[in-house]
Amino acid sequence: MDFTDKYVSNEHKEQHLSATESADPSSVSPFVISTSPKSPRSPRSPRSPKSPRSAKGQQSKHGGSVGSPLKNQRHSHSKKDGHPKKGGYGGKGTWGGLLDMDNDHVDDPNDPNYISDKDDTKFVSKTSAEFEEFKKKATVIVEEYFVNDDVNSTANELRELEMPSYSFYFVKKLVSMAMDRRDKEKEMASILLSSLYGDVIDPQQVYKGYQKLVESADDLIVDIPDAVDVLALFIARAVVDDILPPSFLTKTMAYLSKDSKGVDVIKRAEKGYLSAPLHAETIERCWGGRKNKTVEDLKLKINDFLIEYVVSGDVKEACRCIKDLNVPHFHHEIVKRAVIMAMEKRQAENRLLDLLKRTAEEGLINSSQISKGFGRIIDSVDDLSLDIPNAKVLLQSLISKAASEGWLCASSLKSLAPHPGKPAVEDNKVKAFKKKAQSIIHEYFLSGDISEVSCCLEFENSSSLAELNAIFVKKLITLAMDRKNREKEMASVLLSSLCLPSDDVVCGFVMLIESAEDTALDIPIVVEDLAMFLARAEVDEVLTPQDLEEIRGHFPGSDSVGNKVIQIAMSLLKARLSGERILRCWGGGGSCKNGWTIEDVKDKIGKLLEEFEAGGDTREACRCIKELGMPFFHHEVVKKSLVILMENKNERLWRLLRQCFDMQLITMNQMTKGFSRVADSLDDLALDVPDAKKQFKNYVERAKADGWLDTSFSINGLEQGVENGFH
């Protein structure tokens, strides 16, 4: 073909020659290049072969047949169209030109470089169809399980589906269906998940299933009014059954939006259930217990198989007995009894330690249960010394052996010294954590980013060890005491925001008070500062009055530093207007509301309750109460709600109080104070509401029935005044 025409550039000549040389000669149709000065576009060639993609006789827009000389040319997957606009060439950002033949290219499925654009669509469609099919089958399996109560049959049916990557949905469906049924089905659901865990359902799928449940809490509450409480109990039960790690709570909380019901679920699970004394036994029997097992029965069985093991030495049989008990939350009792037996029968020591080591290595007894078992012995070592004279020495020896063999983390235990709180062994892990904690706290004082501290603390203490939490509390307050009021305020706000277990915070304060004499060398007013931090912790609901008594119990001497700290803290709490004064002790306002007075807060509470009574949203009212940032003053919400309730007889306010209590927004302590204040003003209230006393008595009984008030609460026996109240 001749390229003598002046309208054909040298660049186009080179492109054409390159294309024709690389193409298969037998598959190339001749090109017709336009030589007309009127238009740069190529005419349609009458000799081009028909395209399988085009209609009869139809050809490429830019000339040439649909068959391309660039047989193995790949197409870009970019969303940008590289063609020139309106048939032109060389537009900005385009590849259009004289030899542009993308529309003429025919993909060959047999070509090794062939890429189908439809593959992804087909795959997505197939996956979606599979998931929908799994959903239907999972629902049927759950329904059948609730009817026949056959764990083995359900496990086999789930295996036969052969879709392990969708097991998370089965977890979600099982729990959500059980939530709307009787206690029997709730108990059955928990037992099934515990039985399928690890064998039929992968641990990550269980974790993901519970995450999906927490995320959908806002939807669940539409059909299940008490969804927050029930789901929190399911999560607590999963933690007790060791199918969810305790870190699930903090990790899930980190990505939830603040106004999500999922946040309320996590807080209720942690503070309402998992922080309670003897929570494992209580939670296990929350829906009637499993097969009528009692703690005494379990203790007898544990004692029997340990005695049999000491005689026979059959480790496999002993491990089988532990599995058959099926009480992973109670394994600490096995550890406790095995260690005490080793202390009593010295000849059986090695055999019993070998059993505990074997169970730890196989994951039959987890590290937290082992630590808890040893911790229980440490707590009762003084009583043991009455029967075993050298109990402390023997126990310390066993702890050292277990730690050296690597199946016990000695740093997580209390010391055997009279004052608890110090690490038994200052190992590398504790030392490294102290350095990290100091770095985290220094960075927080600069940035004020609470969420970053929470994430870092979770990463450094992934096992949620109580000892490390206590060390963090001690380090935080120690560093704050040596700084200005700004850092002290930030420390209190952080302590309130982290939601650490109260036992860990108590332990941290015990450690602080123990080291107060050394701290006093650098900080002369350490006693006053510690007392203020303690009082602030109670006002912020981080500690309870009972926790203060527990701390006092560690320092019995009347002249001890600990006793002085507690006395000052309690005197601060008993003073008039103590809540407001303590909240602003370092110039802060809890939620950056420094300018608010008590009258301002009372006015805001009154307005939000009036707005809610007029037809407002419960969720919005709870959000407004939370945003006040004054948890010590929530009894005012209770008082005003009860007064309006008795005056207008509007039950919506009672439902608001129930919602606040269920969310742990208003605690039992604040409920008691609120009811007490109403009781104190009943005589004045009766002038406007003649039957006020009768109504109030009825509301007190309802509150007791709902668990808002302690059963010992008495209208006639009320104490005059309120500790942190304002009249």
Side-chain angles (χ1 to χ4, degrees), residues 486-507:
R486 172 183 173 272
E487 284 76 16
K488 292 174 184 174
E489 173 67 13
M490 291 177 72
S492 287
V493 171
L494 178 61
L495 199 59
S496 175
S497 303
L498 289 178
C499 298
L500 296 172
S502 59
D503 288 345
D504 299 354
V505 179
V506 167
C507 191

Side-chain angles (χ1 to χ4, degrees), residues 327-609:
V327 283
H329 70 276
F330 203 58
H331 283 171
H332 56 81
E333 181 69 19
I334 299 172
V335 177
K336 177 188 174 185
R337 287 184 176 270
V339 172
I340 291 176
M341 196 175 287
M343 292 165 64
E344 292 174 337
K345 301 177 180 180
R346 304 293 296 140
Q347 67 277 13
E349 177 184 314
N350 292 334
R351 183 167 285 184
L352 288 163
L353 290 181
D354 287 343
L355 173 63
L356 293 178
K357 181 181 178 183
R358 176 76 171 270
T359 57
E361 289 174 347
E362 294 183 358
L364 189 56
I365 300 179
N366 63 38
S367 58
S368 64
Q369 291 290 311
I370 291 174
S371 296
K372 189 173 181 179
F374 273 94
R376 289 180 62 200
I377 301 172
I378 291 172
D379 291 338
S380 61
V381 72
D382 291 330
D383 295 331
L384 281 174
S385 298
L386 300 175
D387 300 318
I388 309 172
N390 56 344
K392 287 187 179 180
V393 176
L394 291 174
L395 181 56
Q396 187 62 62
S397 173
L398 294 175
I399 290 172
S400 299
K401 285 183 181 180
S404 64
E405 291 176 356
W407 53 272
L408 172 66
C409 180
S411 63
S412 65
L413 303 177
K414 299 176 183 177
S415 75
L416 289 170
H419 299 308
K422 294 180 181 177
V425 178
E426 192 75 7
D427 63 1
N428 293 332
K429 185 174 182 179
V430 173
K431 289 179 180 177
F433 178 80
K434 285 182 176 179
K435 290 181 181 178
K436 291 283 186 182
Q438 184 162 333
S439 175
I440 291 169
I441 294 165
H442 280 308
E443 188 172 341
Y444 167 67
F445 285 156
L446 292 173
S447 67
D449 191 342
I450 294 174
S451 60
E452 181 65 18
V453 176
S454 181
C455 292
C456 292
L457 188 59
E458 172 63 24
F459 178 78
E460 297 298 335
N461 187 15
S462 57
S463 301
S464 299
L465 297 176
E467 183 66 23
L468 298 187
N469 283 339
I471 289 172
F472 185 85
V473 172
K474 178 188 175 186
K475 183 67 70 174
L476 172 67
I477 295 176
T478 301
L479 291 174
M481 287 193 298
D482 200 26
R483 296 196 173 208
K484 297 179 181 178
N485 284 348
R486 172 183 173 272
E487 284 76 16
K488 292 174 184 174
E489 173 67 13
M490 291 177 72
S492 287
V493 171
L494 178 61
L495 199 59
S496 175
S497 303
L498 289 178
C499 298
L500 296 172
S502 59
D503 288 345
D504 299 354
V505 179
V506 167
C507 191
F509 273 103
V510 170
M511 294 166 68
L512 278 163
I513 295 172
E514 285 177 342
S515 60
E517 292 181 358
D518 295 334
T519 309
L521 298 174
D522 300 315
I523 308 170
I525 57 170
V526 63
V527 172
E528 290 78 7
D529 276 356
L530 279 177
M532 188 60 80
F533 269 108
L534 266 177
R536 176 64 181 270
E538 184 180 328
V539 167
D540 286 340
E541 303 279 347
V542 175
L543 295 176
T544 65
Q546 289 77 13
D547 291 331
L548 294 184
E549 290 296 334
E550 183 181 342
I551 294 172
R552 171 183 272 178
H554 289 290
F555 308 95
S558 58
D559 295 330
S560 65
V561 174
N563 195 45
K564 290 178 182 177
V565 170
I566 298 295
Q567 283 182 349
I568 295 173
M570 287 185 168
S571 65
L572 289 170
L573 289 165
K574 289 178 181 177
R576 179 171 171 76
L577 303 179
S578 61
E580 182 188 17
R581 289 173 179 172
I582 293 170
L583 191 68
R584 287 159 174 70
C585 58
W586 292 302
S591 298
C592 302
K593 300 176 177 59
N594 307 28
W596 284 10
T597 65
I598 292 301
E599 292 306 316
D600 291 334
V601 179
K602 284 184 176 181
D603 184 58
K604 288 180 182 292
I605 291 172
K607 286 180 179 177
L608 77 87
L609 290 177

